[in-house]
Amino acid sequence: MKIAKKSGQTKPVNLKLQIMDEQGYRYKGPEGYHSFIGQVMAHLGYVGGYETGNIGAHILLSDENGIIDLTCVFIRDDKKWKSRASIIRCGHTREDIKNCLIHWHERFTGNKTGPWGTLMGVRPTKLVHHFFDRGFGDKEIITILQQQYRVEKEMAERLVHMSRLQRPFVMEPRNHVALYVGIPYCSSHCLYCSFPSRLVGKEEEAGLQAFSKALETDLQDLNKLCRQYSLTVDTIYIGGGTPTCLPIAILKDIIQSVAANFSPVQEWTVEAGRPDTATKEKLALLRQYGVDRISVNPQTMQQRILDVLGRHHRVEDIYTMFNNCRDLGFSVINMDFIAGLPVQNVKDMQENMEIVCQLWPENVTIHTLALKKRAPLFHHPLRDRIPSQEEVTKMLEYCDARLVEKGYIPYYMYRQKYMAASFANVGYAFSDAIGKYNIQMMEERQTVLAAGPGGATKFINLPEHRLEKLYMPKEVNAYMASLEEKMQLRRKLCTYIYGREDR
């Protein structure tokens, strides 16, 4: 790789990125590189690609005659940094492009990239599993992460330890699969949420029944595939949306259909995150049909924050729901919290963790707010009340220290676009209550079948662990209209992977 002499250089500027840096970037070049450039820029804290206002970076790329010509201008106030590189196209071209952009950004800001180094992507532990597959030991992998990817030592050690913990869950026979069921309905839209869910209160009964029937057809088709190719469903996850917002008769039809086609399983989770939707009657229904893992997701335990987020319930309702779940005998209760919510401070998150230590849920997931364009918060005045990166870092550090102190083990993690580069979402569990489905979904080493709007079926094509994917439309009517066509495509993919026939 040949890097041309930089021009327009200024003295490095120390920049303190906020949790969701509002700087955009503009890209001009081949469409085939656009998504990749977007990943790199998101890693550096930039959003967009075709943005016209508040531009913090210009990326110009050309690809001619086997040479990549890359030019980048970083901008902040009246400070600019311009660099250019000529890269010979080869097997690691994208890695070279990424390293150039990250290196230039470090020179411009005067700051190192952070604990992740140059390691990008949603699933950082996938790389570690790749090294395990090749026979590398823990110490070797830590060294590779530090030297080749510039990952900080503590982060490298955590990634390897977490991957080692996951290893038994990702080495199961190829005919063992997971099932996801998508329910795209909610009782109200939360301010931070970008998921295109429907408000259940605005749906007519006939529409909900039509959706339920379509989902039943979808599930029956998956059951036929499992029987035809001897696939065993180990775990089930029903998410959304908020599945428990459905009327109990509709919810019962869906749960009955899942149980009839796939029960019993090792682990069956239902997201029941909104206590204003999860009545004791609905929770009892879930237990009746075999659901053993339930998500009670307050996101925060401060009423003032719940109110501004549009979550129409009281803090007391969370306690009531939690106690109902205990009384009904769910073996695992998960609680989700978000760090970085508008008007939130470090004391709020400390209070959340103290409540966790009183309730003792078996699983706790700590998310970091990722500001997405489709979320109401993106254009809301409360966007200005999002806490700084420094504050959120303190929140996350406190959560990690407190949970580990109390015996919780970090067992899976993932990152999101539009999240500050040093942050990740982390799942914690007691050693005897690790969420198997979460590992299966994140590590993408086991086939995941999906039913319902927005579901993504992912067949694992061994030995390369290559994914063959099929996505269901997110919008309910589009899902129902295209269901037969999508099921046919899914059958062909399944035949290709498990029937060893050509498509």
Side-chain angles (χ1 to χ4, degrees):
M1 178 178 68
K2 180 183 179 182
I3 302 178
K5 184 178 180 180
K6 55 185 176 290
S7 59
Q9 180 179 345
T10 67
K11 291 183 178 180
V13 188
N14 288 321
L15 305 177
K16 180 183 176 183
L17 294 177
Q18 297 300 306
I19 176 173
M20 257 65 63
D21 195 316
E22 297 182 13
Q23 290 288 299
Y25 74 94
R26 184 177 295 148
Y27 169 74
K28 184 177 181 181
E31 187 61 28
Y33 289 96
H34 187 202
S35 177
F36 174 72
I37 294 295
Q39 289 179 326
V40 179
M41 297 308 291
H43 180 73
L44 297 175
Y46 293 82
V47 299
Y50 295 117
E51 306 293 335
T52 57
N54 197 23
I55 298 297
H58 295 266
I59 311 295
L60 177 63
L61 187 150
S62 65
D63 183 358
E64 297 180 2
N65 302 318
I67 301 294
I68 305 292
D69 192 76
L70 178 66
T71 302
C72 176
V73 181
F74 287 110
I75 308 164
R76 184 63 65 96
D77 299 326
D78 60 340
K79 304 295 191 299
K80 289 186 178 181
W81 178 290
K82 181 178 180 180
S83 288
R84 179 182 175 184
S86 295
I87 302 170
I88 298 176
R89 182 153 29 93
C90 58
H92 48 76
T93 299
R94 297 195 171 205
E95 190 76 11
D96 290 340
I97 293 172
K98 177 185 73 172
N99 289 337
C100 278
L101 292 174
I102 292 176
H103 173 70
W104 293 339
H105 190 258
E106 289 179 340
R107 294 292 300 274
F108 171 56
T109 63
N111 299 326
K112 292 185 177 181
T113 302
W116 296 99
T118 64
L119 193 62
M120 297 194 317
V122 171
R123 300 169 171 86
T125 45
K126 285 185 69 174
L127 178 64
V128 180
H129 285 295
H130 172 70
F131 287 128
F132 279 145
D133 292 340
R134 295 170 59 187
F136 289 97
D138 293 18
K139 292 183 178 179
E140 291 177 282
I141 299 173
I142 291 170
T143 299
I144 292 171
L145 291 174
Q146 287 183 269
Q147 294 182 356
Q148 185 173 338
Y149 295 91
R150 298 163 56 194
V151 179
E152 292 183 2
K153 182 180 179 181
E154 185 177 351
M155 179 62 71
E157 292 173 342
R158 168 159 286 200
L159 289 174
V160 171
H161 182 269
M162 185 178 292
S163 300
R164 180 63 73 186
L165 182 70
Q166 295 172 350
R167 201 65 180 162
F169 297 92
V170 301
M171 298 297 290
E172 295 189 340
R174 69 187 292 265
N175 67 326
H176 285 236
V177 304
L179 172 67
Y180 174 80
V181 182
I183 310 292
Y185 291 95
C186 282
S187 56
S188 65
H189 286 310
C190 296
L191 196 63
Y192 55 81
C193 183
S194 63
F195 188 80
S197 56
R198 291 191 177 195
L199 296 182
V200 71
K202 295 184 178 181
E203 290 289 302
E204 295 183 358
E205 183 178 353
L208 291 172
Q209 288 178 344
F211 163 71
S212 177
K213 290 294 183 183
L215 186 57
E216 182 178 1
T217 300
D218 201 352
L219 291 165
Q220 289 172 346
D221 184 69
L222 286 173
N223 175 267
K224 291 177 183 177
L225 288 179
C226 290
R227 287 188 283 110
Q228 182 176 354
Y229 295 105
S230 300
L231 305 180
T232 300
V233 173
D234 286 336
T235 61
I236 300 171
Y237 193 100
I238 301 181
T242 308
T244 48
C245 77
L246 294 173
I248 191 166
I250 300 294
L251 181 62
K252 182 177 182 180
D253 288 342
I254 293 172
I255 297 298
Q256 279 183 326
S257 182
V258 174
N261 285 288
F262 301 104
S263 184
V265 293
Q266 295 177 12
E267 176 187 286
W268 184 353
T269 303
V270 172
E271 286 187 5
R274 294 280 294 267
D276 50 331
T277 70
T279 64
K280 191 165 188 177
E281 185 181 12
K282 290 181 182 179
L283 294 172
L285 171 71
L286 300 181
R287 282 295 298 131
Q288 177 185 345
Y289 284 95
V291 177
D292 60 348
R293 185 176 183 273
I294 195 83
S295 284
V296 180
N297 300 338
Q299 313 304 358
T300 189
M301 296 294 284
Q302 291 74 44
Q303 192 63 52
R304 75 180 197 287
I305 304 178
L306 292 174
D307 291 342
V308 301
L309 294 178
R311 294 177 68 84
H312 301 158
H313 61 82
R314 307 294 298 173
V315 170
E316 292 78 9
D317 299 331
I318 299 169
Y319 288 106
T320 298
M321 180 183 172
F322 189 96
N323 291 332
N324 286 338
C325 290
R326 280 284 182 248
D327 292 342
L328 289 165
F330 288 94
S331 58
V332 176
I333 299 177
N334 174 76
M335 296 185 78
D336 279 12
F337 294 88
I338 301 177
L341 293 168
V343 310
Q344 189 181 52
N345 57 49
V346 176
K347 288 185 178 180
D348 294 327
M349 190 56 75
Q350 291 174 341
E351 180 182 37
N352 291 336
M353 292 304 98
E354 294 311 307
I355 292 171
V356 165
C357 293
Q358 295 169 15
L359 296 176
W360 294 108
E362 286 74 18
N363 293 178
V364 182
T365 309
I366 306 298
H367 298 266
T368 307
L369 178 66
L371 187 59
K372 299 179 181 180
K373 291 182 180 179
R374 293 184 180 180
L377 181 58
F378 194 86
H379 299 290
H380 197 280
L382 281 170
R383 177 173 178 164
D384 295 332
R385 302 290 303 279
I386 293 174
S388 68
Q389 179 177 348
E390 182 181 5
E391 289 179 284
V392 177
T393 298
K394 291 179 180 178
M395 295 180 196
L396 297 176
E397 289 176 347
Y398 182 87
C399 290
D400 183 76
R402 193 76 172 115
L403 291 172
V404 170
E405 176 191 5
K406 291 298 182 179
Y408 290 93
I409 302 169
Y411 75 98
Y412 85 105
M413 69 164 60
Y414 65 100
R415 303 167 71 193
Q416 289 179 272
K417 195 175 182 181
Y418 309 131
M419 176 184 290
S422 61
F423 297 147
N425 300 325
V426 182
Y428 298 81
F430 291 133
S431 59
D432 59 348
I434 290 174
K436 183 176 181 178
Y437 174 88
N438 288 328
I439 295 174
Q440 293 170 335
M441 174 59 72
M442 280 302 130
E443 299 313 313
E444 295 185 329
R445 298 174 68 90
Q446 182 169 354
T447 290
V448 177
L449 305 175
T457 292
K458 301 178 182 180
F459 292 107
I460 303 299
N461 195 353
L462 298 175
E464 301 87 357
H465 296 289
R466 189 174 71 252
L467 296 178
E468 301 286 348
K469 303 178 183 179
L470 183 135
Y471 294 92
M472 290 292 186
K474 294 181 180 180
E475 203 280 321
V476 174
N477 290 339
Y479 161 74
M480 293 190 293
S482 65
L483 181 57
E484 184 57 42
E485 176 188 0
K486 292 291 186 180
M487 289 192 301
Q488 290 178 7
L489 292 172
R490 188 169 61 195
R491 291 185 202 116
K492 289 181 180 179
L493 278 177
C494 191
T495 300
Y496 169 65
I497 298 298
Y498 290 101
R500 299 188 182 279
E501 297 179 11
D502 292 334
R503 282 174 289 183

